[in-house]
Amino acid sequence: MRPSGPVRTDIVLLGAGHAHVEVLRQFAMKPEPGVRLTLIGREPATPYSGMLPGLIRGEYSFEQAHIDLAPLASAANARLIIAEATAIDLANKAVVIPGRPDVGFDLLSIDVGGVPTMPDGGGIGVKPIGRFLTQLERLEAELPAD
């Protein structure tokens, strides 16, 4: 990512939810001088939740139901960090990611999605979708062959 001029405002987008995808899309169409965007996402592709039922039914491929974050971040001239943040240090205005320097911000937006609480033995939660798909794949592999 190369800023077109001096950075006056550092905006960190924590999580690759729908709102942050839209922010990147908007910045790709109309960059804001002096603003540096940084997207911190757990995975390199973010699922489009509206397509999840079709993905499970096999109507869509993984690629069709996910948004590749690298080209989107590049189009928006944003930094992309694929990692899981573990804390937000409000006093120092930084996002903490183990094994790397803290990511400073002037403005922070959080769009990490919810994680449902499941009763013991009550099934598997759909969110976060990436982890759900991994569990689903494991369960399908355990099914007896017909």
Side-chain angles (χ1 to χ4, degrees):
M1 194 259 342
R2 251 187 213 130
S4 57
V7 175
R8 292 188 310 273
T9 306
D10 254 319
I11 300 175
V12 171
L13 307 173
L14 180 56
H18 296 301
H20 289 167
V21 166
E22 181 62 16
V23 168
L24 291 171
R25 190 180 76 78
Q26 291 291 325
F27 265 75
M29 293 188 307
K30 187 176 181 213
E32 184 69 33
V35 174
R36 177 170 56 188
L37 287 179
T38 302
L39 174 66
I40 301 173
R42 229 187 352 245
E43 298 159 341
T46 191
Y48 179 67
S49 58
M51 295 177 78
L52 182 60
L55 177 63
I56 292 169
R57 288 190 304 264
E59 296 169 4
Y60 303 117
S61 69
F62 181 90
E63 291 76 21
Q64 290 172 313
H66 285 73
I67 299 166
D68 187 349
L69 296 175
L72 183 59
S74 178
N77 205 25
R79 298 186 297 176
L80 174 61
I81 299 171
I82 304 298
E84 188 163 2
T86 57
I88 299 169
D89 180 350
L90 291 177
N92 293 307
K93 296 181 105 175
V95 175
V96 178
I97 300 172
R100 62 174 297 131
D102 292 352
V103 180
F105 60 83
D106 295 310
L107 297 170
L108 175 65
S109 178
I110 303 171
D111 186 11
V112 295
V115 178
T117 302
M118 298 299 295
D120 290 338
I124 57 174
V126 174
K127 300 245 178 154
I129 293 173
R131 292 180 183 160
F132 165 75
L133 292 174
T134 300
Q135 291 175 317
L136 180 61
E137 187 176 294
R138 188 173 48 246
L139 288 171
E140 287 175 336
E142 294 173 3
L143 291 173
D146 287 339

